Amino acid sequence: MRPVAILTDSSSDLSPELQKKYGLNIIIGHISVPGNDNADAFLEWKPEERDAFYAALKKHPDDYKTSPPNVQEFENKLEELVSAGNDVVVVTISSGISGSYGFLKAAAANVLARHPEASVGCVDSLRFGPCVGLIAIYAAKLRDEGKSCAEITEWLEANKNCFRQSGWLDDLSFVAKKGRITHAKAFFGTLAGVKPLGEFGANGLTTVLTKATGAKAAMATMIAYMEKTIVNPSEQLIFIAQTCRYPQALEYKKLIEERIKPREVIIGDVHPYNGINIGPGLMASYYFGTAIAPDLSAEKESFADIAASLSKK
């Protein structure tokens, strides 16, 4: 059996340390920033660089854009890995918000035409941000267990709908600009301190399912939701992503460690490739749980039960 390389894109927000630890390959997307219309995305920076980036982004959001790796870039990366004797499993950002998966499929067809002995598993994660990175880590663990390219791809396709999020985005102006929520709702939510809480949908986007007023109420809801939906918590690595909400992320991490007791919780930055489309105000966790209902009916019911329970306290 040929060795398996795991490839994911820069939407994964995986630090160089995590890339090395789990033996992951990254294909880099592109960002357009003032002074550079075609810069490579990056996954490492200093705190002062992060703070300056988000301050500038908040002032001039229309000056920042992203674009995925193109077909030729995907093809070059796959050629490199396949020519080295590997089969490849590739996990991309959701096709609901990016053209990456379509570009990958075209590139894979070209590479396999030249290398019929190889296999390339293409997985549309239907997720974004650190959740893409978490799926790639699961793929790496399956590789290390000796699974083949086909077996890893099959497992990811069967289980990607079990990768969940529990968190908020309290500054909605950036997602409003991307057409994912109305400007009126964004304006009201931001001013009133409303924290929308949502879950990944079958379309690869996040659907807002409930709202909480204030960080305390939001965290209580988030923890209760995670308790209802997580699987084998003691074995889990949980990511927390934050944009300009590090103190709240620390508090959330402490709550998760006390109530959920996972193997590890990692707080990570959201780098520009994701941050340009999210903006400040994200604080969310990503983990493996029960399968999400196609129509989100079970998730809506869970949030309703949690709201009723918390109202009694």
Side-chain angles (χ1 to χ4, degrees), residues 129-195:
C131 200
V132 178
L134 189 60
I135 294 173
I137 287 174
Y138 271 71
K141 290 181 176 180
L142 291 169
R143 173 204 60 203
D144 295 345
E145 291 172 3
K147 304 296 185 184
S148 68
C149 176
E151 289 171 325
I152 297 169
T153 303
E154 181 180 1
W155 189 94
L156 294 181
E157 289 291 350
N159 289 277
K160 64 187 181 184
N161 197 43
C162 296
F163 288 88
R164 291 177 170 267
Q165 66 179 352
S166 182
W168 74 58
L169 179 59
D170 61 16
D171 184 342
L172 301 180
S173 60
F174 288 83
V175 290
K177 285 181 178 294
K178 300 298 179 181
R180 298 175 193 173
I181 191 169
T182 67
H183 284 277
K185 288 181 179 178
F187 181 74
F188 173 78
T190 301
L191 279 189
V194 172
K195 300 188 182 300

Side-chain angles (χ1 to χ4, degrees), residues 32-85:
S32 175
V33 299
N36 192 339
D37 290 336
N38 190 29
D40 287 341
F42 52 87
L43 296 173
E44 187 175 28
W45 55 8
K46 297 177 182 178
E48 59 269 24
E49 294 172 325
R50 175 197 61 210
D51 297 343
F53 168 80
Y54 278 106
L57 177 65
K58 189 172 180 66
K59 289 181 180 178
H60 304 288
D62 294 334
D63 293 343
Y64 295 78
K65 296 179 174 62
T66 62
S67 59
N70 59 36
V71 173
Q72 189 61 58
E73 288 169 324
F74 268 115
E75 188 170 337
N76 291 346
K77 189 65 178 180
L78 290 174
E79 180 69 34
E80 172 193 329
L81 294 171
V82 168
S83 294

Side-chain angles (χ1 to χ4, degrees), residues 192-300:
V194 172
K195 300 188 182 300
L197 308 177
E199 183 58 278
F200 293 117
N203 59 358
L205 303 175
T206 291
T207 298
V208 174
L209 299 178
T210 191
K211 299 176 183 178
T213 301
K216 183 177 180 180
M219 285 197 189
T221 302
M222 288 150 49
I223 287 290
Y225 181 73
M226 189 182 292
E227 287 177 325
K228 277 179 169 284
T229 57
I230 197 167
V231 172
N232 298 325
S234 63
E235 302 174 8
Q236 289 225 27
L237 165 65
I238 296 176
F239 283 147
I240 297 177
Q242 57 82 33
T243 56
C244 306
R245 296 296 181 271
Y246 191 71
Q248 293 92 334
L250 282 174
E251 183 178 352
Y252 192 26
K253 179 177 186 287
K254 182 179 179 181
L255 284 172
I256 291 173
E257 289 171 340
E258 291 174 350
R259 295 269 295 273
I260 307 298
K261 296 180 172 58
R263 175 173 57 82
E264 186 177 10
V265 182
I266 295 176
I267 299 175
D269 280 345
V270 176
H271 294 83
Y273 192 69
N274 289 318
I276 285 170
N277 298 309
I278 294 171
L282 174 71
M283 207 282 292
S285 62
Y286 303 90
Y287 60 97
F288 188 84
T290 55
I292 298 171
D295 60 356
L296 294 172
S297 56
E299 288 64 38
K300 294 173 185 175

